[in-house]
Amino acid sequence: MNLADRLQAVSILPTLRGAAGIFARPIGIFSLLLILAAGIITGDSVLERRARIEATESAARELESVSLILADRLDRSLEVVELVLSAMVDQVMRNTFVTPDDFAATATGIAVHDELRRQVQGLPQIEALELFDARGELLNSSRVWPVPELSHADRDHYFTLRSVPGRRAHLGEPNIDPITGQRTIPMGRRVNNLDGVFAGFVVASLHASFLEALHEAANQHVGQVQVFRTDGMQLLGGDLHDTSFELGRAIARAARQGPIPQQMEFWLQPPDGSGARLAVARWAARSSTVVVVSLEQRRIQTGADRFVHLLHWAAATLLLLTGLLGLVVLAALRAQRRLAEAQLRGAEAERQRLAAAAEIGALVGVMPVMLMHLKPIPGGWEPSLVTGAVGSVTGLSAADITAAWLEATLFAEGRDDMEAALGRALTEGEAVVERRLQNVDGGIRLIELRLRAVGRGETGPEVIAVVTDVTRERRVAAQLAHASKLATLGEVATGMAHELNQPLAAISLAAELMERLLPPPLLADRVQAKLTIIMQMVERASRIIDHMRVFGRADPGPFAAVDVQELLEAARPMFELRLRTSLARLDVSFPPDLPPVRAQASLLEQVLLNLIVNACDAHAEAGQPGPGQERRIRITAEAQGASVQIAIQDNAGGIPEAVLPDIFQPFFTTKSPGKGTGLGLSISYGIITELGGQIQARNAEGGACFLIHLPAANA
């Protein structure tokens, strides 16, 4: 029996043929369309529920992404402010004080006012940096001089800083600044005396408008943003129809019960019935704040409503055309309807994607971060969306950020590290990696990439990268670490000096006693000469140790008239060994009438030592000199009007012209790997600038020449 006979024998085959005959007639077509329309109407509620669930899930993911970016940005802004507060507290505590009145005496004066102004330069988020005594009275301010009468004794941050002995920064209740009339948020640090007793505090008044730029952008595109302290105090953002109080209480209750969850998702229902809101709260751990981002339910369901309306329209259209269309026309319409629905779904998906990209781009655009949506391609990754502060982070336009750019920059520095970070993001959900970028002008900047997995696309798992320029933060951290190492070295040197003076004194005393007690027949010329050499070496070692003690002081001392030649001679024991090991000869030529300079002696000595040691290192790396040449370091000085020019010149080959403009950049070095930190010349540049002078580098006479201009003391 063949296949046709077998099918004919099956009892269901006649039934199928009968059904096909029914639907081939007009009544069958009409019935089929009625069934289809009834099915669409019946399934409308199911499809509507599914569409609303998907819209809610999509909105929740978008709110999670936005809250992550906002919390990270808030943490970074407040970390910079905390660094400024820490630096100011350390600066104030260098002057030893016992009582609160001692602290008040050291915190007043125009010099402290100038230091406060310097600390807030280049930080737009800080309105003012101010010092207060233990009674809450204003001692000094970065914005006005002389200082007006002002008290913070009635502020909550005053009570917190006075009662809590820790040194962690505290965010206070927002208030209206009495001087500018603007809304500010105080962030303070406690200052203790030597016994740990509260002596006063330093407060940075943060621009509420600077941080509210995030809130306003989010209000326009996402919904509403609020920032709370962990005790429930609202710092930023408008109210949610009287829900802010209950929201603050819920945050405070969660903080009391244990560690705050990293992220919370919930619905807010205002009591006035204005409409529920979907909210996502994210804990910004580093600043101990909670960022709440919310979106109205009606905005979430806009896309779902359109889809439901489309279903109703399709059902009505089918009902109207039932009696007019035949089998062929109906088949064509059904095909056309399917095509139209597919196009509508594609257009709606594209519209939603573009709207989401526009909302995220507008939100990220107010922050100094760049956002990239990365998707995998054969052999690498490709950015499908680039938005935010692209120019300030990379120095390029969004059109320049391509797969080739990723390969030439982020992957070229270390492919294994970058691929490992992407792998962690896909497996663990999040990863952080840093990269070095070369600017258009040749400089180097550091960027941080926070990678977060966002699901799978058509080509595989996709990642969102939040890119931030962290050059300044790393530079400040490195300089603070370097300063801490120098301070520790100074303390060790001072301790060593104290310990070494005792055996040196014993050696000197023993040599003198031997010279006095030995009878003349035994005190031959040779013994006498050896004893004389011993006492001379002891005296020289004592001078070196005394200079180490002076050089190791943490306080650089006040500005004073400094004789540069005397300063060099006093510091010679500190670099004489480096001169001998580098086989270089030091020539110092100063005119007899050279005026002294106005400077801090220990800081100027640090700069000169750094330049001399650099010249010795350059000679050591340059190899043997040519026939008839010798390694030479020449230091000259001359008066130029109201200033003095000091020149340090070597003949070790000089600095490559291509890198000469970047020689004072942090982390930049021309030394061999492992021999340089790239901070010496950067710190020297900062010291000379603080002393009111200038430092320049150039090539001359077969080597490098550094020119220092400082104001003359008698100018």
Side-chain angles (χ1 to χ4, degrees), residues 419-431 451-453 461-463:
E419 290 181 346
L422 288 166
R424 290 196 305 274
L426 296 176
T427 57
E428 302 173 7
E430 188 172 355
L451 307 173
R452 184 179 179 85
E462 298 178 349
V463 173

Side-chain angles (χ1 to χ4, degrees), residues 262-285:
Q262 187 70 28
Q263 178 178 300
M264 295 180 290
E265 180 179 326
F266 45 87
W267 284 93
L268 297 174
Q269 185 65 53
D272 60 357
S274 58
R277 306 177 72 93
L278 176 62
V280 172
R282 180 171 292 276
W283 181 39

Side-chain angles (χ1 to χ4, degrees), residues 223-379:
Q224 193 163 25
V225 175
Q226 294 173 290
V227 179
F228 293 85
R229 289 192 322 210
T230 54
D231 62 355
M233 171 64 66
Q234 185 175 357
L235 300 177
L236 288 176
D239 57 60
L240 293 175
H241 303 284
D242 298 328
T243 60
S244 294
F245 178 73
E246 294 298 327
L247 187 56
R249 291 181 58 185
I251 292 173
R253 185 165 53 252
R256 289 193 301 269
Q257 292 175 353
I260 300 179
Q262 187 70 28
Q263 178 178 300
M264 295 180 290
E265 180 179 326
F266 45 87
W267 284 93
L268 297 174
Q269 185 65 53
D272 60 357
S274 58
R277 306 177 72 93
L278 176 62
V280 172
R282 180 171 292 276
W283 181 39
R286 287 171 286 177
S287 58
S288 296
T289 56
V290 178
V291 178
V292 180
V293 186
S294 62
L295 187 62
E296 294 179 353
Q297 185 180 22
R298 60 180 179 80
R299 293 181 59 182
I300 296 175
Q301 300 300 335
T302 300
D305 291 338
R306 292 194 185 98
F307 181 71
V308 172
H309 294 158
L310 178 62
L311 287 177
H312 290 312
W313 176 85
T317 302
L318 286 174
L319 290 174
L320 291 174
L321 296 177
T322 299
L324 304 176
L325 301 178
L327 181 59
V328 177
V329 177
L330 179 60
L333 287 177
R334 290 174 64 186
Q336 184 178 2
R337 183 175 61 85
R338 290 173 181 171
L339 178 61
E341 288 178 351
Q343 291 175 343
L344 284 173
R345 285 195 298 269
E348 180 67 15
E350 181 66 13
R351 188 199 64 79
Q352 291 180 356
R353 188 188 72 81
L354 293 176
E359 291 177 359
I360 295 175
L363 179 62
V364 176
V366 302
M367 300 181 295
V369 299
M370 180 180 77
L371 187 68
M372 293 191 299
H373 185 273
L374 304 179
K375 64 179 183 180
I377 60 174

Side-chain angles (χ1 to χ4, degrees), residues 136-195:
E137 302 296 327
L138 180 63
L139 297 175
N140 216 322
S141 175
S142 65
R143 57 185 169 185
V144 293
W145 181 264
V147 179
E149 293 184 0
L150 182 65
S151 175
H152 278 199
D154 59 343
R155 307 287 177 83
D156 72 325
H157 60 269
Y158 168 73
F159 295 105
T160 301
L161 293 173
R162 185 183 65 179
S163 58
V164 179
R167 298 185 63 193
R168 182 175 177 83
H170 173 72
L171 280 169
E173 182 179 357
N175 56 77
I176 302 301
D177 191 282
I179 296 178
T180 63
Q182 301 295 321
R183 187 166 179 263
T184 60
I185 301 173
M187 186 173 181
R189 280 285 301 270
R190 172 186 174 115
V191 178
N192 297 331
N193 65 4
L194 294 176
D195 298 327

Side-chain angles (χ1 to χ4, degrees), residues 92 95-109 112 131-135 137-140 191 199-201:
V92 170
N95 301 317
T96 304
F97 54 87
V98 178
T99 67
D101 292 336
D102 294 338
F103 166 69
T106 61
T108 56
V112 179
L131 290 168
F132 292 82
D133 62 14
R135 298 182 298 276
E137 302 296 327
L138 180 63
L139 297 175
N140 216 322
V191 178
F201 57 98

